Amino acid sequence: MRFLKYITVIGLGFLLVVSVTVALLYHYNRTFVFDTYNEIRPLFLRGGGDKCLSKLEERGISFQALGNQGDKICPVLNAIKITELPSTSLSSSIILSCPAAVKFADWVKKIEAKSLTHMGTLNCRKMRSFGIMSEHSYGLAIDISKIDEAIIKTHWNNSGGKGRKLRTAAKEACSYFTNVL
């Protein structure tokens, strides 16, 4: 028992040292922290392989498999170009990584969207006000401007049905995606 307490204290001490070090590096050298994050982030991407492609086929999604796209800085693993969804019309085709495409299709089905207008998906860029790469860089994000007749800029704060539709869609998106704005 004493050994476990000793290990726990050492572990907590190590975590504290690492946390303070990262905080100091961030405070005094944000560029280092952002650059390190940008180098490490692509290592955690997964493309889903053939199993992912099968999931899209099972859902009745019309798509074109593009293979791995991008470069070392902005890799998109197992990129997919969705041209048509079974019950939702898209303003134009979208390109996402296969796992993101599956999540996107499931979310659109869940919110029962009949039409969806977007402003794009794939874009190798840093996030505004930060030095870290946007999730768009990896084919993991989509900017949506309109769901059915509900326009985000116009109806988000409305108390009527269109505002509720948008807020419900955003709340549901949290179950599928890591970043929802």
Side-chain angles (χ1 to χ4, degrees):
M1 190 66 150
R2 176 175 269 179
F3 177 73
L4 287 176
K5 287 182 183 178
Y6 180 71
I7 295 297
T8 301
V9 169
I10 290 174
L12 290 174
F14 178 74
L15 264 168
L16 179 63
V17 168
V18 169
S19 299
V20 168
T21 302
V22 168
L24 288 172
L25 282 171
Y26 179 78
H27 181 72
Y28 291 107
N29 192 354
R30 290 183 183 175
T31 303
F32 171 77
V33 173
F34 293 153
D35 289 348
T36 302
Y37 174 86
N38 290 337
E39 285 183 36
I40 294 171
R41 176 65 177 100
L43 300 176
F44 294 94
L45 300 175
R46 300 290 177 260
D50 290 337
K51 185 176 181 181
C52 187
L53 299 175
S54 295
K55 288 180 181 180
L56 291 172
E57 289 171 352
E58 290 167 7
R59 287 162 174 75
I61 297 166
S62 297
F63 69 93
Q64 178 185 357
L66 304 175
N68 292 338
Q69 299 284 305
D71 57 24
K72 181 181 175 187
I73 297 169
C74 297
V76 181
L77 303 181
N78 204 3
I80 300 299
K81 181 177 184 178
I82 296 178
T83 55
E84 192 175 344
L85 295 170
S87 302
T88 306
S89 66
L90 298 171
S91 57
S92 62
S93 60
I94 60 173
I95 297 176
L96 294 167
S97 72
C98 188
V102 170
K103 290 178 183 180
F104 171 74
D106 289 349
W107 170 72
V108 168
K109 182 178 179 182
K110 174 75 175 179
I111 64 168
E112 300 177 351
K114 291 169 185 41
S115 67
L116 191 137
T117 302
H118 68 92
M119 299 172 293
T121 54
L122 190 57
N123 186 0
C124 184
R125 64 174 172 82
K126 291 183 178 176
M127 291 177 17
R128 193 177 327 153
S129 303
F130 285 102
I132 61 174
M133 299 305 287
S134 164
E135 292 296 285
H136 288 276
S137 302
Y138 313 114
L140 301 174
I142 182 170
D143 290 330
I144 296 170
S145 60
K146 184 176 173 184
I147 300 172
D148 296 334
E149 295 303 315
I151 301 167
I152 297 195
K153 275 188 168 183
T154 306
H155 300 112
W156 180 261
N157 291 318
N158 289 8
S159 59
K162 291 178 181 178
R164 279 193 305 276
K165 172 89 174 177
L166 294 172
R167 290 187 298 278
T168 299
K171 184 177 178 181
E172 288 294 336
C174 293
S175 299
Y176 296 89
F177 307 104
T178 55
N179 294 326
V180 177
L181 306 176

